[in-house]
Amino acid sequence: MFSLTMWVMLQTLDDHTPKYRDRVANPGLMIRPRSLEIGFNRSIPQQYSKYVQHLESFLQPYNDSLQDGNQICTKGVYFEQGDDVVAEKKACQFKRSFLRQCSGLADSNFGYSEGQPCILVKMNRVIGLRPKGDPRISCAAKVQRETPLQMQYFPTEGILDKSYYPYYGKKLHAGYVQPVVAVKLLLAEEDYNSELIIECKVEGSDLINNDERDKFMGRVTFRVNVSK
């Protein structure tokens, strides 16, 4: 009886779309390198090499040579491809070269050897998500400062372009890579040898970023401590 019940239940599952998706509208944020506490001495490569390796590994699917096989999509509009659950979906190009100084191409150390580290921020994949407005990543130091912590965003203004949505799932959207925003921390002299608490949020859209019950919904907080 148990085996029969399980068999019947399995027949109701879709290979491409999860049956229950309670949190479709509010994905979480994550960073790369995969650590919420980043600390190193910029003069000691052994201390930051693991972060550089994480970034290089993560960006492999974004290599320009691989992304050349994907579509050049119209910016600012969703890439709708219908509801056919059999036909494989096309993916929009997101080349690592879009990340410029944080691509690891011109600077294989991603700024860590200069004490100006790059952090990659990504939004979790959610099937069918269509964020309204103009979603972008915005970061700031959580502790009040006399002068704001300086940063550069790649792509410009931290945009998560609509052309990368919706996502159709791992099986149908095999070539898909989610958009990434690189944040380069332009640390000043007073920023070294002290812990910086930085929060990044999704802004400019209908996505929730202030739910006190979930610290990762639409935002992520991490710590950086760089010494010279």
Side-chain angles (χ1 to χ4, degrees):
M1 180 61 72
F2 175 76
S3 298
L4 178 61
T5 302
M6 289 298 294
W7 181 83
V8 171
M9 197 163 74
L10 288 171
Q11 305 315 300
T12 68
L13 300 181
D14 190 309
D15 286 341
H16 306 289
T17 306
K19 189 174 181 64
Y20 299 105
R21 293 182 287 160
D22 297 337
R23 300 174 66 183
V24 164
N26 301 298
L29 289 189
M30 297 295 290
I31 66 167
R32 295 293 183 270
R34 194 191 295 268
S35 175
L36 296 179
E37 295 190 7
I38 297 171
F40 63 94
N41 185 313
R42 71 179 192 182
S43 301
I44 305 177
Q46 294 86 344
Q47 291 190 9
Y48 59 76
S49 61
K50 62 182 178 181
Y51 304 128
V52 170
Q53 290 168 9
H54 286 175
L55 292 172
E56 181 60 38
S57 177
F58 175 76
L59 287 174
Q60 285 302 300
Y62 295 83
N63 281 339
D64 289 20
S65 58
L66 295 176
Q67 288 301 309
D68 281 337
N70 287 339
Q71 299 286 114
I72 298 176
C73 297
T74 303
K75 298 297 182 183
V77 296
Y78 302 127
F79 188 23
E80 301 282 3
Q81 300 182 67
D83 298 323
D84 189 335
V85 296
V86 178
E88 183 174 336
K89 307 301 182 182
K90 297 177 181 178
C92 295
Q93 287 185 3
F94 193 104
K95 298 182 176 183
R96 66 186 293 176
S97 58
F98 294 173
L99 303 179
R100 298 174 59 191
Q101 287 98 310
C102 287
S103 67
L105 298 175
D107 175 11
S108 60
N109 287 316
F110 296 92
Y112 283 74
S113 61
E114 301 172 349
Q116 310 280 302
C118 291
I119 309 295
L120 304 185
V121 184
K122 70 184 187 74
M123 195 159 62
N124 291 340
R125 298 183 185 189
V126 175
I127 295 174
L129 177 68
R130 295 170 177 81
K132 296 179 181 178
D134 295 302
R136 66 183 187 278
I137 298 297
S138 178
C139 304
K142 291 199 71 174
V143 178
Q144 189 171 3
R145 300 160 49 95
E146 292 185 6
T147 57
L149 180 62
Q150 297 299 305
M151 308 177 194
Q152 278 184 300
Y153 296 92
F154 309 102
T156 305
E157 298 181 353
I159 294 296
L160 295 167
D161 196 83
K162 285 182 179 178
S163 60
Y164 299 101
Y165 304 98
Y167 170 56
Y168 288 92
K170 189 173 182 179
K171 286 192 174 182
L172 287 179
H173 225 159
Y176 178 86
V177 294
Q178 67 258 58
V180 176
V181 170
V183 182
K184 187 173 181 64
L185 304 180
L186 304 177
L187 303 185
E189 192 66 31
E190 61 269 22
D191 297 321
Y192 293 107
N193 303 305
S194 62
E195 184 176 76
L196 304 173
I197 302 175
I198 300 169
E199 182 178 59
C200 295
K201 294 183 176 183
V202 180
E203 304 278 11
S205 76
D206 59 336
L207 300 175
I208 295 173
N209 64 13
N210 58 359
D211 189 333
E212 290 304 318
R213 296 169 299 177
D214 190 335
K215 300 294 186 182
F216 291 94
M217 184 184 290
R219 58 180 171 168
V220 61
T221 299
F222 56 96
R223 299 170 186 267
V224 175
N225 193 331
V226 179
S227 57
K228 301 171 70 174

